[in-house]
Amino acid sequence: MDFKDRVVVITGASRGIGEATATHFATLGAQVFLAARSADRIGEIATALREQGASAHAVACDVSDPAQVLRLVSEATGKTGRLDLLVNNAGLIDPIALLADSEPQEWARIVDVNLKGVYYGLRYAIPVMVAQGGGTIVNLSSGAATSALEGWSHYCATKAAVMSLTRVADREYRSKGVRVVGLSPGTVATRMQEQIRASGINPVSQLDWSAHIPAEWVANAIAWLATEEADSHLGSDFSLKSNEGRRAAGLPEV
Ligand code: NAP
């Protein structure tokens, strides 16, 4: 797929997987909209991309607020007239705690960001994509969607719910041209893994840093998922943990 001038919105684009994805699509010639709470940081990234000749915009957005997600989608469509790809990437894992030690408001905050934030993205992007005849939405998932890990009750529960949203959205809108797919990237060398390591709570926190893949690989996989080549994975979580998945996405094998 030629991404030249395609309109791509990425949430959680101030660092990690989101920043790498915005940079990758900008390099491919897309018009990228970077969203995150850290307005200064996404502004710096967008400015640097524009200085390299790319089309990049920063939109401050807290995905836990539906009005801000609507404004993000409206700003992208208002400036360009379309929305080709939404990457629902914004996510949190901290604070990591066993259930009996968890703080209810902090637990609920993870639901607001990891689950409701993805729902708001789907809610406001789908009508635009249906009206224009198609589009792709990639929801960042995790192996935690299907496995139990100590200290991650909020994260496991929200990622499982996001996987369910991916399946339902695909069921409802595939026939209208909207491609919805989840991506389970394995472990990725970002701040989230620094937080996991600092918690010391479950086996993921003990992994050697070299076990984590670079965020740029995930960006490449997202670009592949946005193409028809990945159509057989719509409505499911595509995993980068297997060599089969990595091969399909053009990444090095383990
Ligand atoms: P990260 O480096 O911690 O980045 C998280 C991003 O989410 C930041 O840009 C942050 O920006 C943004 N964010 C957090 N809360 C937000 C909110 N309320 N509104 C808007 N943006 C918000 O994490 P990452 O590793 O790149 O993770 C990205 C996604 O991949 C997450 O969904 C995560 O669950 C998933 N994932 C990661 C791994 C891994 O090993 N790293 C594995 C599987 C899945 P601000 O703080 O500026 O808002």
Side-chain angles (χ1 to χ4, degrees), residues 77-211:
T77 55
K79 278 204 169 85
T80 66
R82 43 187 306 115
L83 172 55
D84 296 295
L85 171 64
L86 168 65
V87 185
N88 274 322
N89 167 75
L92 297 172
I93 198 165
D94 240 12
I96 292 168
L98 300 182
L99 275 163
D101 303 325
S102 63
E103 203 284 308
Q105 274 188 338
E106 290 175 337
W107 205 100
R109 173 77 186 147
I110 305 292
V111 176
D112 289 342
V113 175
N114 291 12
L115 174 56
K116 293 185 191 172
V118 172
Y119 159 69
Y120 300 141
L122 290 162
R123 170 63 185 85
Y124 296 121
I126 286 171
V128 174
M129 292 179 175
V130 169
Q132 73 190 11
T136 298
I137 300 174
V138 177
N139 295 329
L140 263 291
S141 186
S142 162
T146 53
S147 55
L149 284 144
E150 309 91 307
W152 291 16
S153 60
H154 52 1
Y155 192 76
C156 293
T158 53
K159 290 298 183 183
V162 166
M163 191 171 73
S164 181
L165 273 180
T166 297
R167 297 172 65 192
V168 175
D170 171 65
R171 176 66 59 93
E172 292 183 352
Y173 293 100
R174 191 194 291 204
S175 63
K176 298 180 176 67
V178 183
R179 306 170 69 260
V180 185
V181 63
L183 173 58
S184 179
T187 63
V188 188
T190 66
R191 188 183 299 177
M192 187 173 280
Q193 282 298 336
E194 290 170 12
Q195 294 169 333
I196 291 166
R197 168 173 289 215
S199 76
I201 284 192
N202 63 37
V204 183
S205 71
Q206 309 300 321
L207 289 174
D208 194 87
W209 195 256
S210 63

